[in-house]
Amino acid sequence: MIFYNREGRPIAYSEDNEKIYLFNGKPVAYFFNEYIYGYNGIEFGWFNNGWVRDLKGQCVFYTKEAIGGMIKPVSRVLPVKGVKRVAPIKAVRRVPRIKTVEQLRWSDLSSEAFFMQ
């Protein structure tokens, strides 16, 4: 599954629906149920209907299978995937926040910055 930003640029991917990698091979996040966490234990957002949303409920990334939400831009060509690095040890997860209402707007974090929170 490829995650595209608001400009249609591929930012990250997941091959196992567990770990999320940047295209340079760096592991940056993982799924825990519908939530997305950094390896530092911080909740970044959630994944639903093919959309990644930030903690404000704004659209961060979409997949080609995404339904509802914003109008999807034209997806750009995929970059070459780098060699996957070993994922770090997961820190203790913080309790997930109560989800906010899903918004029909793009997040300012629609790039690699989403994974650097």
Side-chain angles (χ1 to χ4, degrees):
M1 152 172 50
I2 308 295
F3 299 101
Y4 298 88
N5 72 0
R6 64 181 167 200
E7 296 150 3
R9 187 167 60 97
I11 299 295
Y13 69 95
S14 177
E15 293 178 339
D16 59 6
N17 293 332
E18 181 185 336
K19 297 179 204 104
I20 300 173
Y21 294 87
L22 297 179
F23 281 91
N24 65 8
K26 180 181 179 182
V28 289
Y30 65 93
F31 292 102
F32 179 74
N33 298 325
E34 72 269 26
Y35 299 100
I36 297 174
Y37 278 89
Y39 287 95
N40 56 6
I42 295 175
E43 176 189 2
F44 293 159
W46 70 89
F47 182 71
N48 185 35
N49 291 328
W51 289 94
V52 172
R53 293 184 177 272
D54 65 14
L55 297 174
K56 297 177 185 174
Q58 298 172 343
C59 299
V60 182
F61 304 115
Y62 68 91
T63 63
K64 292 205 174 187
E65 297 78 26
I67 56 172
M70 301 294 296
I71 295 174
K72 297 185 286 188
V74 174
S75 301
R76 297 190 190 169
V77 175
L78 294 177
V80 174
K81 293 179 184 175
V83 175
K84 287 185 198 173
R85 296 184 218 156
V86 175
I89 295 172
K90 297 174 185 174
V92 175
R93 279 186 308 277
R94 295 184 182 173
V95 176
R97 301 177 188 188
I98 296 174
K99 290 183 187 175
T100 57
V101 175
E102 294 183 353
Q103 311 236 347
L104 285 176
R105 70 177 289 194
W106 286 103
S107 171
D108 293 333
L109 296 172
S110 186
S111 69
E112 291 89 347
F114 175 77
F115 300 110
M116 307 304 160
Q117 301 181 60

